[in-house]
């Protein structure tokens, strides 16, 4: 463990951030390089008392009052600039602890800058609205308007597959709205959040408004659910854990981005030169570990063979392996166990009658990009979230039946359709029960400015700075009655 500095230059803090101070001590857990399997650091797990202390300090900070909106915006803008200063450190950390390729890690930093800037801008223009009392007989003389106020302490529980930008989609809007944030990052990727904490403090974020508590969900996560002074939980992760958080939250507010089985549709009139690279990248980037990764691909039968062949050809150009190699496009999964699970699911699919056209080989935690056809309806790669670099193709003849099949999962996060037929595009937008329906784009395209969230077992509430800020504030009606 002591050779961490040899692996990561400028190792981030390995303690817990409470009231502006990194606190060491207590039990520790290892952080491993997801490609080599070697430990790169040991991180201190927060104690039960540290969890309570962080929440108490956050509540006191909010009660004392946040800096004015323009000052909060300045902090976030400075943090965005500091991401460039520390860019290589962020890339190195994410390549090691998340297994990101150099391209994916660089893209994560680029998007994080945008998220910070958007949050800074939205925080200074957060306003209410006028109430049209003139519509009510006898109340026409009244003047009414709404104002928005911070909810208090926001608890952010974040995943391993976007350890910087998803974290900022919670932390930055929460602070922009005037809330204090208690962040519990994934225990698989704690160092990126620690480095982000360094940056936010350097940018001038007041000490009481940010705490970072490291540890497992079964301990630190559960303790956070017991803290009644937390006003809002924002969570990205599994539907199973989301249900536990919602049950514990009771009448307190939450935002949940949960499980997914994303579908993308390719109609016979689609522009395949546009569609194929988008689909392949969406299904296979970050080793398929994106909640909107293309997993189910419906292709109109007349072009199914061509689409399959072109996807196989494209997948063959995506080198899988060492994420530090600039030529690598598909890095390791988050663990050996995750790669073994994906390998087993692919093996089961083939045993059930599917054809594996390419990929599926495992080397350690790396799975080569896989394209399948003929996956049985009950195959796990078809009916459960794979979170691996694989795309399952199914031909369709009946457009209505295909839409019904896409809807036939417990989840509803994002879907995409490629077509030049306006009627089909509009029908898909009406019928597909997903939080986002993309026309002439894959299910996995995302701009950080847009509202992002799901329906059904994929959760509720919206990310996207403008929308998250509104969720993390309370609306108050003010009435003047002359």
């Amino acid at each position: 463990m002591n050779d961490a500095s040899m692996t990561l230059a400028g190792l981030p803090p390995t303690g817990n951030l409470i009231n502006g101070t990194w606190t060491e001590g207590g039990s520790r857990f290892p952080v491993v390089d997801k490609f080599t399997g070697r430990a790169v650091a040991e991180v201190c797990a927060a104690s039960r008392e540290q969890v309570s202390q962080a929440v108490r300090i956050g509540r006191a900070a909010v009660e004392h009052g946040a800096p004015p909106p323009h000052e909060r915006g300045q902090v976030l803008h400075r943090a965005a600039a500091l991401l460039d200063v520390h860019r290589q450190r962020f890339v190195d950390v994410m390549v090691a602890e998340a297994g990101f390729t150099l391209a994916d890690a660089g893209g994560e930093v680029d998007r994080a800058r945008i998220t910070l800037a958007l949050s800074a801008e939205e925080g200074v223009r957060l306003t209410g609205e006028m109430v049209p009392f003139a519509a009510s007989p006898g109340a026409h003389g009244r003047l009414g308007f709404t104002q928005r106020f911070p909810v208090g302490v926001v608890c952010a529980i974040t995943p391993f597959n976007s350890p910087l930008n998803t974290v900022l989609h919670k932390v930055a809007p929460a602070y922009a709205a005037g809330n204090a944030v208690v962040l519990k990052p994934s225990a698989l990727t704690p160092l990126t959040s620690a480095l982000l904490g360094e940056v936010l403090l350097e940018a001038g974020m007041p000490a009481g408004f940010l705490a970072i508590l490291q540890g497992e969900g079964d301990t630190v996560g559960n303790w956070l659910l017991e803290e009644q002074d937390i006003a809002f939980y924002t969570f990205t992760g599994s539907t199973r854990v989301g249900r536990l958080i919602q049950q514990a939250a009771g009448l307190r507010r939450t935002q949940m981005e949960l499980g997914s089985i994303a579908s993308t549709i390719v109609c016979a009139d689609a522009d395949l030169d546009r569609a194929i690279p988008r689909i392949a990248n969406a299904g296979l980037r970050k080793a398929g570990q994106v909640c909107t990764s293309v997993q189910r691909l419906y292709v109109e039968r007349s072009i199914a063979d061509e689409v399959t062949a072109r996807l196989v050809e494209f997948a063959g150009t995506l080198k899988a392996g060492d994420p530090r190699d600039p030529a690598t496009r598909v890095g390791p999964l988050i663990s050996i166990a995750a790669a073994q699970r994906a390998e087993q699911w692919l093996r089961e699919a083939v045993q059930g009658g599917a054809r594996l056209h390419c990929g599926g080989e495992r080397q350690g935690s790396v799975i080569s990009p896989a394209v399948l056809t003929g996956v049985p309806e009950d195959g796990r790669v078809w009916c459960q979230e794979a979170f691996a670099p694989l795309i399952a193709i199914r031909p369709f003849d009946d457009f209505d039946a295909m839409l019904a099949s896409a809807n036939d999962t417990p989840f509803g996060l994002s879907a995409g359709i490629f077509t030049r037929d306006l009627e089909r595009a509009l029908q898909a937008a009406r019928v597909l029960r997903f939080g986002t329906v993309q026309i002439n784009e894959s299910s996995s395209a995302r701009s950080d400015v847009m509202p992002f969230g799901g329906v059904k077992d994929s959760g509720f509430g919206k990310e996207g700075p403008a929308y998250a800020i509104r969720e993390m504030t309370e609306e108050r009606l003010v009435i003047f009655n002359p």
Side-chain angles (χ1 to χ4, degrees):
M1 310 292 181
N2 294 328
D3 65 348
S5 60
M6 297 171 60
T7 307
L8 291 175
L11 186 71
T14 57
N16 295 280
L17 178 62
I18 301 173
N19 206 24
T21 300
W22 295 97
T23 304
E24 300 281 342
S27 63
R28 306 178 75 89
F29 61 92
V31 181
V32 300
D33 184 294
K34 300 309 183 290
F35 180 70
T36 68
R38 292 195 297 266
V40 296
E42 280 192 335
V43 172
C44 297
S47 67
R48 181 68 184 87
E49 175 53 35
Q50 286 176 318
V51 170
S52 292
Q53 180 188 12
V55 175
R56 287 197 305 270
I57 290 170
R59 178 177 175 177
V62 174
E63 289 177 348
H64 182 267
H70 72 277
E71 290 186 15
R72 304 198 297 267
Q74 289 169 354
V75 167
L76 297 175
H77 278 304
R78 284 195 295 268
L82 285 169
L83 288 186
D84 277 343
V85 175
H86 296 280
R87 182 184 183 87
Q88 192 58 51
R89 291 181 69 197
F90 276 107
V91 169
D92 290 345
V93 168
M94 286 188 283
V95 168
E97 71 170 359
F100 282 7
T101 64
L102 294 172
D104 284 336
E108 184 91 352
V109 177
D110 293 338
R111 287 184 58 188
R113 290 196 69 219
I114 294 170
T115 301
L116 280 163
L118 288 170
S119 299
E121 293 161 8
E122 293 297 340
V124 298
R125 55 175 178 244
L126 179 64
T127 59
E129 57 189 30
M130 299 299 297
V131 178
F133 275 111
S136 296
H140 61 274
R142 297 182 183 182
L143 174 67
F145 58 90
T146 61
Q147 292 182 293
R148 305 198 75 89
F149 297 89
V151 293
V153 178
V154 171
C155 176
I157 303 176
T158 58
F160 68 80
N161 62 329
S162 180
L164 179 59
N165 194 41
T166 290
V167 169
L168 278 171
H169 266 286
K170 301 178 186 303
V171 172
Y175 179 63
N179 299 295
V181 186
V182 176
L183 167 64
K184 196 211 83 65
S186 168
L188 295 167
T189 54
L191 298 177
T192 306
S193 287
L195 181 52
L196 175 62
E198 270 193 356
V199 164
L200 291 170
L201 290 178
E202 185 179 350
M205 194 165 183
F209 281 84
L210 177 66
I212 300 177
L213 302 175
Q214 307 284 15
E216 299 288 346
D218 290 344
T219 53
V220 178
N222 283 336
W223 295 335
L224 285 165
L225 298 182
E226 296 170 1
E227 291 293 328
Q228 295 303 304
D229 282 341
I230 291 174
F232 190 103
Y233 292 91
T234 173
F235 171 70
T236 297
S238 71
T239 298
R240 179 189 67 83
V241 175
R243 286 195 174 100
L244 295 174
I245 294 172
Q246 189 61 46
Q247 183 179 19
L251 294 178
R252 291 174 292 172
R253 292 161 58 186
T254 62
Q255 181 270 321
M256 301 279 175
E257 199 255 279
L258 308 176
S260 172
I261 299 177
S263 294
T264 293
I265 301 155
V266 185
C267 296
D269 63 349
D271 179 352
L272 296 187
D273 290 336
R274 174 189 178 92
I276 296 298
R278 283 170 164 77
I279 292 167
N281 284 316
L284 306 172
R285 70 186 178 91
K286 291 189 176 180
Q289 298 172 120
V290 179
C291 51
T292 54
S293 292
V294 177
Q295 181 172 335
R296 291 184 174 188
L297 183 64
Y298 296 91
V299 183
E300 199 151 13
R301 191 174 300 277
S302 62
I303 60 167
D305 290 344
E306 180 183 0
V307 168
T308 301
R310 291 180 66 167
L311 274 177
V312 169
E313 181 182 10
F314 196 101
T317 69
L318 302 177
K319 180 181 178 180
D322 185 350
R324 293 176 177 84
D325 181 347
T328 298
R329 290 295 173 265
V330 179
L333 274 72
I334 196 62
S335 67
I336 291 285
Q340 290 172 334
R341 174 189 57 79
E343 181 184 38
Q344 176 62 27
W345 286 20
L346 288 166
R347 186 181 298 119
E348 288 176 3
V350 172
Q351 291 170 349
R355 178 182 174 188
L356 181 62
H357 292 263
C358 67
E361 299 90 4
R362 183 177 68 83
Q363 294 290 331
S365 55
V366 176
I367 295 279
S368 57
V371 176
L372 305 96
T373 56
V375 175
E377 288 278 356
D378 61 351
R380 289 198 280 188
V381 297
W382 185 257
C383 62
Q384 296 183 37
E385 185 173 25
F387 238 55
L390 64 88
I391 299 173
I393 300 173
R394 175 159 296 178
F396 72 88
D397 299 298
D398 186 311
F399 189 73
D400 292 339
M402 178 273 299
L403 295 179
S405 175
N407 278 334
D408 189 22
T409 83
F411 305 110
L413 187 57
S414 185
I417 178 171
F418 290 89
T419 183
R420 292 184 173 94
D421 187 323
L422 182 59
E423 288 190 13
R424 276 188 163 185
L426 292 175
Q427 181 182 354
R430 286 193 307 269
V431 172
L432 289 172
R433 195 177 170 208
F434 291 79
T436 301
V437 178
Q438 311 241 21
I439 311 298
N440 288 322
E441 188 52 272
S442 78
S443 59
S444 198
R446 181 177 176 185
S447 172
D448 293 290
V449 73
M450 75 188 206
F452 179 72
V455 297
K456 302 193 288 186
D457 283 0
S458 289
F460 46 81
K462 299 295 183 184
E463 286 186 346
Y467 308 92
I469 286 173
R470 292 185 69 84
E471 298 229 6
M472 296 175 182
T473 52
E474 296 174 342
E475 188 174 51
R476 186 174 305 161
L477 174 62
V478 180
I479 303 173
F480 286 90
N481 186 12

